[in-house]
Amino acid sequence: AVLEAARLQTGRSLNDLRPRLDQLERAGLAGQPRPLWLSGMIALECTPLAVEQLAALPEVGSLWLDDTPSRTFGGPPAPAAAADAVRAWHVDRLGAPDAWTRGFTGAGVLVGHVDTGIAYDHPDLAGRMWDGGTAWPHHGWDAVDEDNDPYDGDTDWWHGTHTAGLIAGDGTAGTLTGIAPGARLMALRGLPGYYDDLVESLQFGLDRGVDLFSFSGGWTGASRALRVANRYNADVLMAAGIPWFCAAGNGDNQGGHLAVPDDIASPGDCPNPWYAPNGGGTAVITVGALTVTDVPWSGSSTGPVRWDDDNPYGYADYRDYPWPPGLMKPDLAAPGDLITSTTGGGGYVAYSGTSMATPLVAGAAAVLLEAAPGLSPAALAQLLETSARDITAAPATAGRDNHTGAGLVDLQAALDQLGEAGPAAVLTLHNDGVLPLLVSGVFDDGPWLQVAAPGGPIAPGGQAQLPVFVDPAGLLPGVHTATIIILSNDPGSPLLVPVVLDYGSGLSGVDDGPPPAARPRLDNFPNPFNPRTVLRFTAQGGVPAELAVYDVRGRLVRTLVQGVLAPGQQEVAWDGRDDRGRGVPSGQYFARLAEGLGEPAVRKLMLVR
């Protein structure tokens, strides 16, 4: 739903501009426009005269010259000979063999690998590539050359082949290098490239069902417009539930560092999905590099980062992490010095950089997504970061810091933590219809609740089990209520499942049977919306009522109604702003209506800027 809303919004904008763009093309002043729907942008090659004419149009919000290429964050300059081993050392350092013993290898998880391409004929990778059928016989898309053959274009270093091997290299040629040797890789060549190459790569993956993205590149010293544009992409990915693992960067890429708070590269400077204490969170999980002795690698970029400038989008919340103190980055660390992985010609080579650390964490995420399908970016980030091993070797410090984030990824500890929590319950979802049941999303309105989504369509007459996890940390003893929202192609969608948690207070006296009264109905129009939507409901009246808007992590965004309402039909508008009057970013939100002690009503809202 998020992605379709983004496509529709950009499509409308393009249609509004189409007559003028066609006129410019006929005059030889511009080329064919390309919708970058993920970013809410239109890419267009045009002359200075066309720029001048477009700038005068009220339909055009801003014009931006996409002239700065991205770069990779790892490689030689002096390639080291790869160690002759059956299993590379970094595999054990992250605890991957323990995960494999438990039966989790990343199977069933599709990783969107945005890099310089992949030598997909390498023996360790050939069996791990996405099957694109006859339409995409080479396992992905080349956004740089605009064709369907994303073979590694970096024939000096084979950077993309190296990073791909760190995710899913299965050791067929002699050395096992991948953390998730059961995962599948979609080759997306967008490095080195321009911003539109990155967006096209992400869009291709989103259109074809990737579960996460790994990006070992970016922009050092990026402009304000580029940083904000990357953050907008990360906002949409967050709303769509797709985590994006990004390299912190290698300082100034010449052996030194930029001055804080500008050392972390873009998009690695975007806020974390879970650790976002002062403002907005995005899908980006940023990775720094460690040496073989678990010391921060000297070239790994360090935080904090700043978000306190005006920007072309005009979003006040993009000034939510002012400097000082800024936002702590990176979020996690992994081995990144002399890392052995695959290279062109079917061999191996050892490289250094945050480019190497990032796919290792992406591989760990693939393993966790197999173990617990449906984890949101926030839940996945929380699991990886709360189970990480703290790094205290200088210049890192005890606890979370700006050199290693939460610490070294520990896959064994993450699985232990996942197992210890265990499902508090299991929902069984039956398909009683005659068509496959397609579940497009499973959400909840309780910050202590997490529900896994089914792994695919449910056949007619079939069923799927949805584990329900509860994290009571921070809850006071008592009875807590929430709602699970299941979106699907069923005519009665969404399905709302009430949840009652009796935490530490003894018997609650809550009847586990069906609710005695019908659940109140909460609607809104339009949906998706920009900039305003109207919520409609019938009030019971005479009892305390509250209508509030929450984000996908269960945080209160705006209280719209609080008090006793008159009985009857009610309409309340929400203008896409929080309680402090700040515009909130595009994405998914939930309106929750509660009256008295009755069952609350929940409505999913989709804001598209």
Side-chain angles (χ1 to χ4, degrees):
V2 171
L3 303 183
E4 183 60 22
R7 294 185 193 97
L8 289 172
Q9 181 71 13
T10 305
R12 293 190 189 105
S13 299
L14 181 55
N15 287 336
D16 290 342
L17 286 168
R18 179 70 71 177
R20 187 58 174 159
L21 296 178
D22 288 346
Q23 185 181 37
L24 291 173
E25 184 179 4
R26 287 193 299 269
L29 300 178
Q32 276 286 332
R34 302 190 309 278
L36 302 181
W37 50 261
L38 177 63
S39 302
M41 292 182 177
I42 299 167
L44 184 71
E45 294 180 359
C46 52
T47 65
L49 179 58
V51 170
E52 183 179 348
Q53 294 182 18
L54 289 170
L57 297 178
E59 299 93 336
V60 176
S62 63
L63 287 163
W64 169 41
L65 181 61
D66 184 14
D67 64 343
T68 305
S70 60
R71 63 179 303 162
T72 56
F73 293 140
D84 183 15
V86 174
R87 194 164 68 211
W89 68 270
H90 59 261
V91 172
D92 292 276
R93 187 60 53 88
L94 265 66
D98 175 76
W100 305 339
T101 300
R102 303 187 196 195
F104 302 121
T105 63
V109 177
L110 178 59
V111 179
H113 177 261
V114 184
D115 213 294
T116 64
I118 300 177
Y120 43 73
D121 53 0
H122 192 291
D124 290 9
L125 301 173
R128 311 301 339 133
M129 301 304 299
W130 170 66
D131 182 3
T134 56
W136 313 104
H138 303 300
H139 319 292
W141 173 251
D142 185 338
V144 176
D145 289 341
E146 295 290 336
D147 61 42
N148 70 351
D149 189 2
Y151 199 82
D152 200 333
D154 180 5
T155 54
D156 291 327
W157 294 2
W158 301 95
H159 182 277
T161 302
H162 194 274
T163 55
L166 297 174
I167 298 173
D170 61 12
T172 299
T175 301
L176 198 156
T177 60
I179 301 300
R184 297 282 175 179
L185 296 168
M186 178 184 288
L188 300 167
R189 186 180 173 216
L191 273 173
Y194 294 95
Y195 174 77
D196 73 321
D197 297 320
L198 169 63
V199 177
E200 283 189 16
S201 298
L202 296 172
Q203 289 181 171
F204 185 95
L206 291 170
D207 281 337
R208 290 156 185 85
V210 300
D211 297 299
L212 69 143
F213 287 106
S214 181
F215 184 52
S216 289
W219 288 265
T220 301
S223 68
R224 181 181 65 185
L226 179 55
R227 294 181 65 226
V228 172
N230 276 327
R231 180 165 174 181
Y232 184 90
N233 294 334
D235 279 341
V236 178
L237 289 176
M238 177 73 167
I242 307 297
W244 188 11
F245 292 87
C246 295
N250 295 349
D252 62 6
N253 292 299
Q254 298 175 0
H257 287 270
L258 300 177
V260 171
D262 300 315
D263 198 39
I264 299 286
S266 177
D269 59 356
C270 293
N272 180 275
W274 169 67
Y275 184 79
N278 297 337
T282 76
V284 168
I285 300 171
T286 309
V287 184
L290 300 172
T291 69
V292 69
T293 57
D294 292 343
V295 172
W297 180 60
S298 61
S300 185
S301 291
T302 62
V305 301
R306 66 189 298 166
W307 288 98
D308 55 6
D309 291 328
D310 290 330
N311 55 78
Y313 292 92
Y315 292 158
D317 56 302
Y318 279 10
R319 297 194 293 269
D320 47 3
Y321 297 99
W323 167 258
L327 173 65
M328 195 173 291
K329 280 283 174 174
D331 303 309
L332 288 162
D337 188 22
L338 297 179
I339 304 300
T340 297
S341 188
T342 47
T343 189
Y348 302 94
V349 69
Y351 289 158
S352 299
T354 55
S355 276
M356 286 62 253
T358 301
L360 294 179
V361 181
V367 170
L368 294 175
L369 287 175
E370 180 194 3
L375 282 178
S376 67
L380 181 61
Q382 181 178 14
L383 179 60
L384 284 165
E385 292 164 38
T386 56
S387 62
R389 193 165 79 238
D390 189 22
I391 300 296
T392 58
T397 58
R400 198 177 187 110
D401 61 66
N402 282 303
H403 293 272
T404 62
L408 170 63
V409 169
D410 188 333
L411 192 49
Q412 181 176 353
L415 286 169
D416 286 344
Q417 184 171 307
L418 195 62
E420 287 170 3
V426 175
L427 292 180
T428 301
L429 194 60
H430 296 270
N431 180 4
D432 297 327
V434 297
L435 297 174
L437 180 65
L438 306 176
V439 177
S440 57
V442 179
F443 310 96
D444 61 79
D445 65 347
W448 44 268
L449 190 64
Q450 176 68 45
V451 187
I458 304 173
Q463 64 183 40
Q465 291 188 322
L466 282 58
V468 180
F469 298 90
V470 169
D471 179 8
L475 290 181
L476 295 175
V479 177
H480 303 269
T481 61
T483 304
I484 296 171
I485 305 104
I486 302 174
L487 303 176
S488 71
N489 60 335
D490 183 88
S493 179
L495 173 64
L496 306 179
V497 182
V499 178
V500 178
L501 173 67
D502 178 16
Y503 178 59
S505 63
L507 294 176
S508 67
V510 175
D511 183 2
D512 290 333
R519 174 189 296 273
R521 183 176 180 84
L522 179 63
D523 295 305
N524 76 298
F525 183 83
N527 199 26
F529 71 96
N530 178 26
R532 181 178 183 271
T533 189
V534 176
L535 294 130
R536 300 187 177 103
F537 59 94
T538 301
Q540 172 186 340
V543 295
E546 181 181 78
L547 175 62
V549 178
Y550 296 84
D551 65 15
V552 292
R553 293 190 299 281
R555 299 185 308 182
L556 177 64
V557 173
R558 179 79 174 269
T559 300
L560 299 172
V561 171
Q562 194 167 49
V564 177
L565 295 172
Q569 185 71 25
Q570 305 283 341
E571 290 190 354
V572 179
W574 181 44
D575 59 2
R577 297 182 179 275
D578 64 14
D579 279 328
R580 297 171 62 182
R582 303 175 303 179
V584 300
S586 295
Q588 177 180 277
Y589 297 87
F590 292 98
R592 185 176 187 271
L593 170 67
E595 278 197 285
L597 299 177
E599 194 67 40
V602 178
R603 175 73 172 175
K604 190 182 82 166
L605 314 175
M606 195 68 60
L607 171 61
V608 179
R609 295 288 188 183

